Amino acid sequence: MIFERALFRTEALRHELERLDRTYAEREDVPGTKVIMRALRLIVGETEREIINEGRRLAGRQNAVRDTDFQRAVGAHISTLERLLPEHLSRARRTHGRDIEAIIGPFSRLADVLSPGRELVFDPVDRYEIVLSSVRRSLQRYANSFSDELHAAIGHLPHVTVVLYPLLAERETLQHAVIGHEVAHVALAEPLEADGPSIGSLVFTQAFAEDVAEVRRHLTTGQALSSRELRAEEIKLRDRSQAWFWEFACDQVGVRLVGPAMLLALHEFAAVRNRWSQEPTFPGYETHPGLAWRLRRLVPEARRFLDVPRNTAPWRHARRVIDQIEDTIPNEHDKISDVERQIIERSLQLLDERLDDHLGGNQFLVGEFERLYDVAWDKLASGIPPAEEVFSRTRPDVTWRRTRATARKRQTRRRRVDRRLRDQRDDIALPDPWSQPMDWRVIVNSAYFFWLSGAALERKSPEVAHMPIDARALKRRAAFNEHVRGTLELSEIQLRLQDVKEQLDEMNFPEG
Amino acid sequence: MLSRAEIVRRLQDQRSGLAITPLIDAAKQLGEASVDLRLGPDFIVTRQATGLATFDPARVDEIIDRLRDYQDYVRRPVGSAFYLHPGEFAIARTLEYLTLPTGTSAEVVGRSSWGRLGLVIATAPLIQPRFSGTITLELANLGTVPMVLYVGVRIAQATLYDVGAQ
């Protein structure tokens, strides 16, 4: 009897996984969810095998003894399965909404190059926060109780990292830039060599080792501690300073990967509710520094992108936005010991020395932003989605102050070009290629500065230009985020279609 | 009507206000006096057996309330197939986003190769100046066999016109 009931349980789980398989069969945007389901199928399959094997082994025994022995053998597996599975099953049933889809492709690709084979799953939750969660660890803990084969099979699956994001903020496309901080966790936690330390651990370990004597002096000043107590306090201090270091490091790497939009998004996302400074009695003290320190560190990182010899209106607006963010940061400081502050700063310095090599071409290049920011801004101002970089399109960043002579020369040249084009009407040569998709980071950063400058609002009164609080501005905010979402989608579509456009022509009927 | 050369010139001139983006394959999509447009990934399909008796314009509010029962939204990945069965109607959109400046209008019709097989693109053909957005395509299969439409194929064409002084 217990045998049948056990099999009913696993069969129900198996059917549910099969149903989800069919639901997601044609979806390309949920590879991480499909990996989770593969892992769950392996586990449910192994549990079923165990049930059947035990059932066979105990078949000859008397009912009562058999049931007791059976329950002892497989009861724990089923109990663990039913504790473990609901979280992952709920996640598999509940995929991300359409409104965040535009940003998933770009972040997933970024995570894949920073940590090859890693899949991201974007999981909407009701909490207003963004956190990472690793799937493999919890599944492998379960597999350990089974067999080495199951453990190895799960180990061979791609790493899946879940990004939990607030469902309420799904339509805040610009704010999704803050996910760059989470992708930075992936970049910094990736082992430099197989089974070796990550760059994050390496630099922190070095910095901590340099100051360990100072740590012990600090901990024993004014109090006598046993060696065990000292060790415990040392670990606590180390863990806290390491956690804080990781937060600063991921902020910095996030800006390197995504651009100044990461700072803008962090400010928008966190300044509403995060503490500006931390104290030992405040929640989160052991894991997160105050926002003031974080933003103060990030402002110069964001300014790197604006430190170019350009002074057109878009650039002036962008510099003003960063200045205004800096002005909002109060002069508050976290209550943390000098030695911890020293260790954190030293770790960040060591990291900074290695970041360019570590991130390589995955960084968002200042030159790329410089090249295209004016173009993107101009398109946004004209109501055109800046999804595509048309190579032969005239640029708006040429100085507009022209002498009359220059204007006349331009007109004459234009007439000559027009005449030539008219004469060669049937023979116009198109640039090849015509265009390429605009980098998603150019789109997000340009749009964010455009929005925060107030350029997107119909009425640009000084009071609302940088603090849009009236109802019309809120509607405009939703519409602008939708416009950015659509622009990112167009860019993604062009990226995908570039490689398959020849095949698409074969799936069409020829004219005539 | 704008010629290919003029369309190209205006697409390349940032001050023209004309945009058709993205042009995945400009060489193939730009005809002598037209621009081919591709099928986008979003569809609205009509359900069968909804229990709806009529759409009565005298009762517009009822239509708006019942539309949810009548239609489903479907999104298909780029390059994937969308099946339009005989007699079936679906609303789609172009992949390209168009921006027309003041003084320029457009007309959008289906490509003749599809029309001859029974695919009717019953879109309101005239696109007014200062329009911006993707073009809605109303697709109907008047043929007797299902049609397979792939997201991203060239399915319609737009011709552009200068509008006289207002």
Side-chain angles (χ1 to χ4, degrees), chain B residues 142-156:
Chain B
L142 300 185
T144 55
V145 295
M147 290 188 184
V148 185
L149 307 172
Y150 291 93
V151 174
V153 294
R154 290 176 288 136
I155 199 165

Side-chain angles (χ1 to χ4, degrees), chain B residues 40-123:
Chain B
D42 300 299
F43 300 87
I44 293 176
V45 296
T46 49
R47 288 187 195 160
Q48 305 292 326
T50 58
L52 279 170
T54 58
F55 273 131
D56 184 352
R59 295 152 97 165
V60 164
D61 287 344
E62 234 179 62
I63 296 176
I64 292 169
D65 283 341
R66 301 297 294 273
L67 267 179
R68 223 172 287 130
D69 298 330
Y70 184 64
Q71 294 173 330
D72 278 324
Y73 166 75
V74 170
R75 187 168 171 98
R76 301 290 297 141
V78 162
S80 69
F82 174 80
Y83 298 92
L84 196 65
H85 292 269
E88 214 171 44
F89 171 75
I91 298 172
R93 65 170 178 87
T94 57
L95 189 146
E96 292 84 359
Y97 188 103
L98 269 74
T99 309
L100 301 179
T102 309
T104 305
S105 67
E107 202 171 87
V108 175
V109 296
R111 291 181 80 225
S112 54
S113 48
W114 284 102
R116 282 180 209 125
L117 296 167
L119 177 69
V120 171
I121 298 183
T123 298

Side-chain angles (χ1 to χ4, degrees), chain A residues 173-187:
Chain A
T173 308
L174 291 173
Q175 265 188 29
H176 294 326
V178 80
I179 294 172
H181 173 101
E182 307 306 329
V183 175
H185 267 285
V186 167

Side-chain angles (χ1 to χ4, degrees), chain A residues 26 388 392 394 508 511, chain B residues 12 14 21 76 113-114 154:
Chain A
E26 285 198 338
E388 182 186 22
S392 53
T394 55
N508 206 347
E511 278 299 273
Chain B
Q12 290 174 326
Q14 159 265 333
T21 182
R76 301 290 297 141
S113 48
W114 284 102
R154 290 176 288 136

Side-chain angles (χ1 to χ4, degrees), chain A residues 272-292:
Chain A
V272 176
R273 57 94 189 259
N274 278 35
R275 292 180 189 282
W276 288 110
S277 60
Q278 277 287 32
E279 292 185 19
T281 54
F282 290 168
Y285 179 72
E286 297 300 324
T287 56
H288 284 75
L291 188 59

Side-chain angles (χ1 to χ4, degrees), chain A residues 172-299:
Chain A
E172 297 282 349
T173 308
L174 291 173
Q175 265 188 29
H176 294 326
V178 80
I179 294 172
H181 173 101
E182 307 306 329
V183 175
H185 267 285
V186 167
L188 291 174
E190 180 70 5
L192 292 169
E193 289 161 4
D195 298 327
S198 64
I199 189 172
S201 327
L202 207 64
V203 301
F204 180 80
T205 303
Q206 182 182 337
F208 190 83
E210 286 171 5
D211 276 320
V212 70
E214 183 64 30
V215 167
R216 286 170 187 158
R217 246 195 315 277
H218 162 75
L219 289 171
T220 51
T221 301
Q223 55 180 344
L225 294 174
S226 67
S227 56
R228 187 188 277 187
E229 283 166 339
L230 177 60
R231 182 78 187 125
E233 286 300 311
E234 191 180 304
I235 289 171
K236 198 170 156 196
L237 185 149
R238 182 197 160 103
D239 286 350
R240 180 171 55 239
S241 46
Q242 184 167 38
W244 284 35
F245 156 70
W246 272 99
E247 289 305 305
F248 290 124
C250 290
D251 284 343
Q252 182 182 3
V253 171
V255 173
R256 293 275 185 112
L257 293 174
V258 173
M262 224 257 3
L263 162 66
L264 309 182
L266 178 63
H267 184 258
E268 271 203 340
F269 190 83
V272 176
R273 57 94 189 259
N274 278 35
R275 292 180 189 282
W276 288 110
S277 60
Q278 277 287 32
E279 292 185 19
T281 54
F282 290 168
Y285 179 72
E286 297 300 324
T287 56
H288 284 75
L291 188 59
W293 192 1
R294 290 175 73 179
L295 293 177
R296 269 198 294 271
R297 291 202 77 256
L298 277 186
V299 163

Side-chain angles (χ1 to χ4, degrees), chain B residues 15 24 79 87 98 100 122 157 164:
Chain B
R15 285 163 296 179
I24 307 294
L98 269 74
L100 301 179
Q157 58 189 194

Side-chain angles (χ1 to χ4, degrees), chain A residues 363-414:
Chain A
Q363 293 183 80
F364 181 40
L365 298 175
V366 173
E368 188 69 356
F369 185 59
E370 183 190 357
R371 194 170 70 82
L372 291 168
Y373 177 38
D374 282 300
V375 173
W377 180 288
D378 179 66
K379 286 192 171 185
L380 287 165
S382 308
I384 299 171
E388 182 186 22
E389 184 193 347
V390 178
F391 294 126
S392 53
R393 195 169 185 263
T394 55
R395 296 180 61 87
D397 56 347
V398 175
T399 56
W400 290 109
R401 279 192 226 105
R402 300 187 188 286
T403 62
R404 279 199 183 159
T406 314
R408 268 203 299 275
K409 214 192 308 185
R410 196 163 273 275
Q411 236 179 359
T412 313
R413 195 164 71 215
R414 165 76 65 82

